[in-house]
Amino acid sequence: MGYRVVVAGATGNVGREMLNILAEREFPIDDLAVLASSRSTGDIIDFGETGKTYKVQNIEHFDPAGWDIALFAIGSEGSKLYAPKFAAAGCTVIDNASLYRMDPDVPLIVPEVNPEAIDGYTKRNIIANPNCSTAQMVVALKPLHDAAKIKRVVVATYQSVSGAGKAGMDELFEQSRNIFVGDQAEPKKFTKQIAFNVIPHIDSFLEDGSTKEEWKMVVETKKILDPKIKVTATCVRVPVFVGHSEAINIEFEDEISAQQAKNILREAPGVMLVDKHEDGGYVTPIECVGEYATFISRVREDSTVENGLSLWCVSDNLRKGAALNAVQIAELLGRRHLKKAA
């Protein structure tokens, strides 16, 4: 006996990836509905590589009664409109948007980090998926925090254009092509040219000069991992199609060596340590595409602070940063609460 599952936003990058991962992981599904806006109604979409296809339904007209789990990838405006409706009908919403992440009645879950927090989902019948850059970082931080207690994190991100959706990927492709043939590379989606450039600006600016993306990393890390951890972030968009990278500097309360950290990370759930002190002995975004793991490289001690480490963290932002984490939440929900497929 399986679940009746909805994927909303199924025609977008993350929605398609959700369908791929549900198929890859053989999530126990009895019925599947794929939803999108009226623009995509009637389109045919593949269910991974299973050979099955589904016709896209209009989310406006969909009745969620009798469905078990809905994976949402429809943005905050869509979630605001439809998540309460689905939740009230008894369909648990796993939402990829930022809308509910900091709601105290909505669990914000990374299954390798805080699985027990999912028990609070019944208050709203909604579970939040974290920001893509936060998700991979806390997977790396959790086992180290358990071992030596983290005081402070300084992170600089190198975030791919797929984090801005299909429009971001199209813009990088079109600008790159235009530059090669001598045409103008005018920015549309981004604030400046992204091809052959980096942009230290993701999401809107806040009063203190930080951006909302940076704020998300701070508050989400505190909610998921530990409210006492101090976090400062600089979020940068780079001309990479898929895969977010992060340079993370960590200050601990207790002593921890680079070798101890490597030993811990080597055994940590969701982590793949690739750290050789040689040419190519580290992971780059292009190598993480399509993978489930959060890859850690360049683990080393920071002599400028007491009990400090630096490391390099790479993950597929469409997978662990979004779709994979959502499916893992669904699996966790099934194991701990719904138990239909037990």
Side-chain angles (χ1 to χ4, degrees), residues 133-156:
S133 48
T134 305
Q136 70 185 69
M137 185 171 77
V138 296
V139 167
L141 295 182
K142 167 65 173 174
L144 300 176
H145 184 54
D146 287 347
K149 201 163 187 183
I150 294 170
K151 290 171 58 177
R152 180 172 183 255
V153 175
V154 181
V155 57

PDB file of all heavy atoms in Angstrom, residues 133-156:
ATOM      1  N   SER A 133      20.970  26.889  -0.349  1.00  0.00           N
ATOM      2  CA  SER A 133      22.315  27.091   0.190  1.00  0.00           C
ATOM      3  C   SER A 133      22.391  26.699   1.664  1.00  0.00           C
ATOM      4  O   SER A 133      23.426  26.225   2.140  1.00  0.00           O
ATOM      5  CB  SER A 133      22.755  28.545  -0.010  1.00  0.00           C
ATOM      6  OG  SER A 133      21.750  29.441   0.407  1.00  0.00           O
ATOM      7  N   THR A 134      21.291  26.861   2.391  1.00  0.00           N
ATOM      8  CA  THR A 134      21.253  26.444   3.795  1.00  0.00           C
ATOM      9  C   THR A 134      21.288  24.934   3.910  1.00  0.00           C
ATOM     10  O   THR A 134      22.002  24.379   4.763  1.00  0.00           O
ATOM     11  CB  THR A 134      19.980  26.969   4.487  1.00  0.00           C
ATOM     12  OG1 THR A 134      19.896  28.381   4.346  1.00  0.00           O
ATOM     13  CG2 THR A 134      19.975  26.606   5.964  1.00  0.00           C
ATOM     14  N   ALA A 135      20.535  24.235   3.071  1.00  0.00           N
ATOM     15  CA  ALA A 135      20.388  22.780   3.185  1.00  0.00           C
ATOM     16  C   ALA A 135      21.741  22.083   3.137  1.00  0.00           C
ATOM     17  O   ALA A 135      22.060  21.255   3.996  1.00  0.00           O
ATOM     18  CB  ALA A 135      19.465  22.258   2.094  1.00  0.00           C
ATOM     19  N   GLN A 136      22.543  22.403   2.131  1.00  0.00           N
ATOM     20  CA  GLN A 136      23.815  21.702   2.012  1.00  0.00           C
ATOM     21  C   GLN A 136      24.767  22.095   3.134  1.00  0.00           C
ATOM     22  O   GLN A 136      25.546  21.265   3.622  1.00  0.00           O
ATOM     23  CB  GLN A 136      24.448  21.954   0.643  1.00  0.00           C
ATOM     24  CG  GLN A 136      24.970  23.357   0.402  1.00  0.00           C
ATOM     25  CD  GLN A 136      25.463  23.540  -1.020  1.00  0.00           C
ATOM     26  OE1 GLN A 136      24.664  23.548  -1.967  1.00  0.00           O
ATOM     27  NE2 GLN A 136      26.769  23.693  -1.197  1.00  0.00           N
ATOM     28  N   MET A 137      24.698  23.341   3.585  1.00  0.00           N
ATOM     29  CA  MET A 137      25.609  23.774   4.642  1.00  0.00           C
ATOM     30  C   MET A 137      25.328  23.053   5.952  1.00  0.00           C
ATOM     31  O   MET A 137      26.257  22.597   6.632  1.00  0.00           O
ATOM     32  CB  MET A 137      25.540  25.287   4.838  1.00  0.00           C
ATOM     33  CG  MET A 137      26.561  25.787   5.857  1.00  0.00           C
ATOM     34  SD  MET A 137      26.716  27.573   5.954  1.00  0.00           S
ATOM     35  CE  MET A 137      25.244  28.003   6.890  1.00  0.00           C
ATOM     36  N   VAL A 138      24.053  22.938   6.331  1.00  0.00           N
ATOM     37  CA  VAL A 138      23.758  22.313   7.622  1.00  0.00           C
ATOM     38  C   VAL A 138      24.038  20.810   7.602  1.00  0.00           C
ATOM     39  O   VAL A 138      24.344  20.227   8.646  1.00  0.00           O
ATOM     40  CB  VAL A 138      22.313  22.612   8.099  1.00  0.00           C
ATOM     41  CG1 VAL A 138      22.136  24.096   8.354  1.00  0.00           C
ATOM     42  CG2 VAL A 138      21.272  22.076   7.138  1.00  0.00           C
ATOM     43  N   VAL A 139      23.966  20.179   6.437  1.00  0.00           N
ATOM     44  CA  VAL A 139      24.357  18.773   6.334  1.00  0.00           C
ATOM     45  C   VAL A 139      25.832  18.618   6.707  1.00  0.00           C
ATOM     46  O   VAL A 139      26.227  17.670   7.399  1.00  0.00           O
ATOM     47  CB  VAL A 139      24.078  18.222   4.921  1.00  0.00           C
ATOM     48  CG1 VAL A 139      24.766  16.869   4.711  1.00  0.00           C
ATOM     49  CG2 VAL A 139      22.588  18.083   4.681  1.00  0.00           C
ATOM     50  N   ALA A 140      26.655  19.581   6.267  1.00  0.00           N
ATOM     51  CA  ALA A 140      28.077  19.554   6.593  1.00  0.00           C
ATOM     52  C   ALA A 140      28.341  19.947   8.044  1.00  0.00           C
ATOM     53  O   ALA A 140      29.215  19.380   8.710  1.00  0.00           O
ATOM     54  CB  ALA A 140      28.834  20.489   5.660  1.00  0.00           C
ATOM     55  N   LEU A 141      27.577  20.900   8.556  1.00  0.00           N
ATOM     56  CA  LEU A 141      27.827  21.421   9.907  1.00  0.00           C
ATOM     57  C   LEU A 141      27.367  20.480  11.006  1.00  0.00           C
ATOM     58  O   LEU A 141      27.995  20.403  12.077  1.00  0.00           O
ATOM     59  CB  LEU A 141      27.131  22.772  10.086  1.00  0.00           C
ATOM     60  CG  LEU A 141      27.603  23.945   9.236  1.00  0.00           C
ATOM     61  CD1 LEU A 141      26.809  25.203   9.592  1.00  0.00           C
ATOM     62  CD2 LEU A 141      29.096  24.201   9.409  1.00  0.00           C
ATOM     63  N   LYS A 142      26.267  19.781  10.817  1.00  0.00           N
ATOM     64  CA  LYS A 142      25.645  18.987  11.884  1.00  0.00           C
ATOM     65  C   LYS A 142      26.610  18.026  12.581  1.00  0.00           C
ATOM     66  O   LYS A 142      26.729  18.038  13.815  1.00  0.00           O
ATOM     67  CB  LYS A 142      24.429  18.253  11.321  1.00  0.00           C
ATOM     68  CG  LYS A 142      23.858  17.147  12.197  1.00  0.00           C
ATOM     69  CD  LYS A 142      23.284  17.653  13.505  1.00  0.00           C
ATOM     70  CE  LYS A 142      22.590  16.507  14.242  1.00  0.00           C
ATOM     71  NZ  LYS A 142      22.125  16.916  15.585  1.00  0.00           N
ATOM     72  N   PRO A 143      27.306  17.147  11.850  1.00  0.00           N
ATOM     73  CA  PRO A 143      28.181  16.200  12.553  1.00  0.00           C
ATOM     74  C   PRO A 143      29.342  16.883  13.265  1.00  0.00           C
ATOM     75  O   PRO A 143      29.794  16.408  14.314  1.00  0.00           O
ATOM     76  CB  PRO A 143      28.671  15.272  11.435  1.00  0.00           C
ATOM     77  CG  PRO A 143      28.489  16.047  10.181  1.00  0.00           C
ATOM     78  CD  PRO A 143      27.296  16.917  10.390  1.00  0.00           C
ATOM     79  N   LEU A 144      29.810  18.001  12.725  1.00  0.00           N
ATOM     80  CA  LEU A 144      30.892  18.745  13.371  1.00  0.00           C
ATOM     81  C   LEU A 144      30.383  19.457  14.617  1.00  0.00           C
ATOM     82  O   LEU A 144      31.084  19.533  15.635  1.00  0.00           O
ATOM     83  CB  LEU A 144      31.497  19.749  12.380  1.00  0.00           C
ATOM     84  CG  LEU A 144      32.094  19.141  11.104  1.00  0.00           C
ATOM     85  CD1 LEU A 144      32.579  20.250  10.169  1.00  0.00           C
ATOM     86  CD2 LEU A 144      33.234  18.176  11.430  1.00  0.00           C
ATOM     87  N   HIS A 145      29.158  19.968  14.547  1.00  0.00           N
ATOM     88  CA  HIS A 145      28.546  20.620  15.709  1.00  0.00           C
ATOM     89  C   HIS A 145      28.351  19.619  16.846  1.00  0.00           C
ATOM     90  O   HIS A 145      28.600  19.927  18.016  1.00  0.00           O
ATOM     91  CB  HIS A 145      27.211  21.227  15.302  1.00  0.00           C
ATOM     92  CG  HIS A 145      26.520  22.007  16.387  1.00  0.00           C
ATOM     93  ND1 HIS A 145      27.125  23.040  17.063  1.00  0.00           N
ATOM     94  CD2 HIS A 145      25.266  21.891  16.912  1.00  0.00           C
ATOM     95  CE1 HIS A 145      26.278  23.545  17.962  1.00  0.00           C
ATOM     96  NE2 HIS A 145      25.148  22.854  17.884  1.00  0.00           N
ATOM     97  N   ASP A 146      27.942  18.415  16.510  1.00  0.00           N
ATOM     98  CA  ASP A 146      27.764  17.374  17.523  1.00  0.00           C
ATOM     99  C   ASP A 146      29.086  17.040  18.210  1.00  0.00           C
ATOM    100  O   ASP A 146      29.111  16.702  19.397  1.00  0.00           O
ATOM    101  CB  ASP A 146      27.183  16.108  16.887  1.00  0.00           C
ATOM    102  CG  ASP A 146      25.717  16.251  16.513  1.00  0.00           C
ATOM    103  OD1 ASP A 146      25.076  17.220  16.958  1.00  0.00           O
ATOM    104  OD2 ASP A 146      25.226  15.394  15.756  1.00  0.00           O
ATOM    105  N   ALA A 147      30.178  17.141  17.454  1.00  0.00           N
ATOM    106  CA  ALA A 147      31.481  16.733  17.981  1.00  0.00           C
ATOM    107  C   ALA A 147      32.170  17.830  18.793  1.00  0.00           C
ATOM    108  O   ALA A 147      32.816  17.536  19.805  1.00  0.00           O
ATOM    109  CB  ALA A 147      32.396  16.316  16.830  1.00  0.00           C
ATOM    110  N   ALA A 148      32.056  19.080  18.364  1.00  0.00           N
ATOM    111  CA  ALA A 148      32.871  20.130  18.992  1.00  0.00           C
ATOM    112  C   ALA A 148      32.120  21.427  19.254  1.00  0.00           C
ATOM    113  O   ALA A 148      32.710  22.398  19.709  1.00  0.00           O
ATOM    114  CB  ALA A 148      34.109  20.413  18.133  1.00  0.00           C
ATOM    115  N   LYS A 149      30.855  21.500  18.986  1.00  0.00           N
ATOM    116  CA  LYS A 149      29.975  22.646  19.239  1.00  0.00           C
ATOM    117  C   LYS A 149      30.439  23.907  18.503  1.00  0.00           C
ATOM    118  O   LYS A 149      31.416  24.553  18.873  1.00  0.00           O
ATOM    119  CB  LYS A 149      29.824  22.938  20.723  1.00  0.00           C
ATOM    120  CG  LYS A 149      28.562  23.757  21.008  1.00  0.00           C
ATOM    121  CD  LYS A 149      28.166  23.707  22.469  1.00  0.00           C
ATOM    122  CE  LYS A 149      26.824  24.380  22.656  1.00  0.00           C
ATOM    123  NZ  LYS A 149      26.413  24.438  24.063  1.00  0.00           N
ATOM    124  N   ILE A 150      29.695  24.249  17.483  1.00  0.00           N
ATOM    125  CA  ILE A 150      30.028  25.409  16.647  1.00  0.00           C
ATOM    126  C   ILE A 150      29.589  26.704  17.330  1.00  0.00           C
ATOM    127  O   ILE A 150      28.460  26.810  17.817  1.00  0.00           O
ATOM    128  CB  ILE A 150      29.351  25.284  15.266  1.00  0.00           C
ATOM    129  CG1 ILE A 150      29.926  24.094  14.499  1.00  0.00           C
ATOM    130  CG2 ILE A 150      29.520  26.562  14.452  1.00  0.00           C
ATOM    131  CD1 ILE A 150      29.175  23.748  13.230  1.00  0.00           C
ATOM    132  N   LYS A 151      30.483  27.694  17.324  1.00  0.00           N
ATOM    133  CA  LYS A 151      30.172  29.027  17.840  1.00  0.00           C
ATOM    134  C   LYS A 151      29.777  29.975  16.720  1.00  0.00           C
ATOM    135  O   LYS A 151      28.826  30.743  16.850  1.00  0.00           O
ATOM    136  CB  LYS A 151      31.398  29.615  18.563  1.00  0.00           C
ATOM    137  CG  LYS A 151      31.761  28.956  19.866  1.00  0.00           C
ATOM    138  CD  LYS A 151      33.104  29.443  20.393  1.00  0.00           C
ATOM    139  CE  LYS A 151      33.143  30.956  20.599  1.00  0.00           C
ATOM    140  NZ  LYS A 151      34.449  31.380  21.170  1.00  0.00           N
ATOM    141  N   ARG A 152      30.536  29.930  15.613  1.00  0.00           N
ATOM    142  CA  ARG A 152      30.367  30.948  14.569  1.00  0.00           C
ATOM    143  C   ARG A 152      30.698  30.358  13.211  1.00  0.00           C
ATOM    144  O   ARG A 152      31.618  29.558  13.083  1.00  0.00           O
ATOM    145  CB  ARG A 152      31.288  32.136  14.860  1.00  0.00           C
ATOM    146  CG  ARG A 152      31.217  33.284  13.856  1.00  0.00           C
ATOM    147  CD  ARG A 152      32.027  34.482  14.362  1.00  0.00           C
ATOM    148  NE  ARG A 152      31.927  35.624  13.466  1.00  0.00           N
ATOM    149  CZ  ARG A 152      32.908  36.011  12.645  1.00  0.00           C
ATOM    150  NH1 ARG A 152      34.054  35.343  12.617  1.00  0.00           N
ATOM    151  NH2 ARG A 152      32.746  37.067  11.865  1.00  0.00           N
ATOM    152  N   VAL A 153      29.924  30.783  12.202  1.00  0.00           N
ATOM    153  CA  VAL A 153      30.140  30.341  10.831  1.00  0.00           C
ATOM    154  C   VAL A 153      30.224  31.569   9.924  1.00  0.00           C
ATOM    155  O   VAL A 153      29.363  32.461   9.994  1.00  0.00           O
ATOM    156  CB  VAL A 153      28.988  29.429  10.352  1.00  0.00           C
ATOM    157  CG1 VAL A 153      29.165  29.067   8.881  1.00  0.00           C
ATOM    158  CG2 VAL A 153      28.896  28.181  11.205  1.00  0.00           C
ATOM    159  N   VAL A 154      31.236  31.613   9.090  1.00  0.00           N
ATOM    160  CA  VAL A 154      31.372  32.633   8.051  1.00  0.00           C
ATOM    161  C   VAL A 154      31.344  31.899   6.719  1.00  0.00           C
ATOM    162  O   VAL A 154      32.195  31.043   6.461  1.00  0.00           O
ATOM    163  CB  VAL A 154      32.684  33.428   8.191  1.00  0.00           C
ATOM    164  CG1 VAL A 154      32.778  34.494   7.097  1.00  0.00           C
ATOM    165  CG2 VAL A 154      32.784  34.072   9.569  1.00  0.00           C
ATOM    166  N   VAL A 155      30.360  32.210   5.884  1.00  0.00           N
ATOM    167  CA  VAL A 155      30.214  31.478   4.625  1.00  0.00           C
ATOM    168  C   VAL A 155      30.097  32.438   3.453  1.00  0.00           C
ATOM    169  O   VAL A 155      29.424  33.472   3.532  1.00  0.00           O
ATOM    170  CB  VAL A 155      28.978  30.526   4.676  1.00  0.00           C
ATOM    171  CG1 VAL A 155      27.694  31.288   4.986  1.00  0.00           C
ATOM    172  CG2 VAL A 155      28.836  29.745   3.381  1.00  0.00           C
ATOM    173  N   ALA A 156      30.803  32.113   2.373  1.00  0.00           N
ATOM    174  CA  ALA A 156      30.639  32.794   1.089  1.00  0.00           C
ATOM    175  C   ALA A 156      30.132  31.756   0.102  1.00  0.00           C
ATOM    176  O   ALA A 156      30.710  30.670  -0.018  1.00  0.00           O
ATOM    177  CB  ALA A 156      31.956  33.382   0.609  1.00  0.00           C
TER     178      ALA A 156
END
